[in-house]
Amino acid sequence: MSAGPRIVALFGDPVEHSRSPAMHNAAFRALGLDWVYVAHRVPPAELGAAIAAARLFGYAGLNVTVPHKEAVVPHLDDLGDAARSIGAVNTVVRRGGRLVGENTDADGFLRALRRLRFRFRERTALVLGAGGSARAVVWALGRSGLARLVVLNRTVSRAEELRSLLPAELRGSLEAGPLEAALDRSVVSRADLIVNCTSLGLDGRSMPPLALDATRPTCLVYDLVYGRRSTPLVARARRLGRRAEDGRRMLLEQAGLAFRLWTGRRPPLAAMARALEES
Ligand code: NDP
């Protein structure tokens, strides 16, 4: 066990560009907690050893990011409901001597959308991508009151697999297809919400294929990708007069939920948001 401040660590590879240390250390400072958040680059082959070290040193909690969100599962003692259903963990909480995996991406996503006053009931969503973040988003959307869901992905079979994340009554309403179907105006014009869960846009230049000009004027575009400037998808959607946001609010909300799980305290979101913008 370590003496000194309580430690929360991020395990990922890479971690250099992560904004989580800035957000969480600002939160600890704002509440006067003697806690510290550190980022460790953990190559895939070292994940088991890193988890063992976290146990040995008595780390109070962990964040887990790419590429470990799924691989970490067998190293943990238990999983929360969302993490178990989604099959991915982004937050680890120490409960007694046990490490419990949680997923705060799903709720973080819903909170970000609720803040934009998006009403889910009876709406249709178009999700682009079927990787780890899409799993969390689809699981969350399945519990939001949404009526219909279209999931398009480069690898169609992965989009199909997301059906199992939905409650039984919604499974029949999921349509899965190839990513290029987002160029089909009749597909896009039905959507009340479009969520980009692909990594397209991360480079600051690319964006998913999408007939944005066919969207309804009321359609909300939510891009999980975020960067220093607005993402190409958000910029283009706004130029067309659509409401569009990047993934920063979701990042903030998932961090707030993790903070609450570790510390039991209400997260100081304003301080965390400031640190996120400055980082
Ligand atoms: P994954 O690697 O699990 O999934 C990547 C997805 O992007 C897959 O659907 C993949 O398709 C698709 N994709 C990748 N490259 C291409 C390409 N060249 N053409 C078409 N499709 C492509 O990543 P995550 O789901 O974890 O993350 C996706 C994005 O979401 C990242 O940019 C990440 O930063 C962001 N994110 C944001 C969060 C937030 O809080 N705002 C939280 C989590 C993620 P295929 O299945 O065919 O490979």
Side-chain angles (χ1 to χ4, degrees), residues 5-225:
R6 306 203 67 184
I7 299 170
V8 177
L10 169 68
F11 289 173
D13 188 10
V15 289
E16 289 75 21
H17 303 297
S18 171
R19 299 178 183 202
S20 294
M23 274 193 293
H24 286 293
N25 285 320
F28 296 146
R29 273 195 303 277
L31 296 190
L33 297 175
D34 189 19
W35 290 53
V36 63
Y37 187 106
V38 293
H40 294 312
R41 188 175 76 81
V42 176
E46 303 299 337
L47 181 61
I51 295 288
R55 289 183 194 275
L56 179 67
F57 296 132
Y59 281 14
L62 300 171
N63 270 150
V64 182
T65 189
V66 177
H68 304 313
K69 285 184 177 181
E70 290 163 46
V72 76
V73 169
H75 298 287
L76 302 175
D77 302 309
D78 203 357
L79 296 176
D81 288 345
R84 179 172 293 113
S85 308
I86 295 163
V89 163
N90 75 328
T91 300
V92 178
V93 188
R94 174 181 291 272
R95 295 209 178 99
R98 295 161 63 75
L99 295 184
V100 181
E102 303 280 357
N103 189 305
T104 67
D105 282 336
D107 254 1
F109 168 73
L110 286 184
R111 281 170 182 250
L113 261 75
R114 289 204 185 102
R115 194 165 170 277
L116 293 168
R117 309 224 177 286
F118 183 76
R119 295 194 204 295
F120 295 93
R121 198 143 292 282
E122 294 303 315
R123 299 298 168 89
T124 299
L126 170 58
V127 174
L128 307 176
S133 63
R135 291 184 67 81
V137 163
V138 166
W139 185 84
L141 287 174
R143 275 136 196 91
S144 68
L146 202 81
R148 281 164 301 276
L149 194 53
V150 181
V151 181
L152 305 178
N153 193 45
R154 180 174 63 179
T155 314
V156 180
S157 58
R158 292 187 84 194
E160 274 291 348
E161 284 164 21
L162 300 197
R163 198 182 300 279
S164 64
L165 294 171
L166 295 174
E169 67 276 12
L170 254 185
R171 284 186 194 157
S173 69
L174 183 138
E175 291 171 38
L179 192 58
E180 296 70 42
L183 292 169
D184 181 336
R185 301 175 72 83
S186 68
V187 172
V188 172
S189 62
R190 283 187 286 143
D192 301 294
L193 170 68
I194 297 177
V195 188
N196 177 34
C197 301
T198 73
S199 34
L200 294 168
L202 213 48
D203 57 6
R205 291 185 306 275
S206 59
M207 58 176 275
L210 180 62
L212 259 178
D213 57 339
T215 51
R216 299 177 184 180
T218 53
C219 179
L220 172 64
V221 177
Y222 196 80
D223 193 350
L224 259 61
V225 176

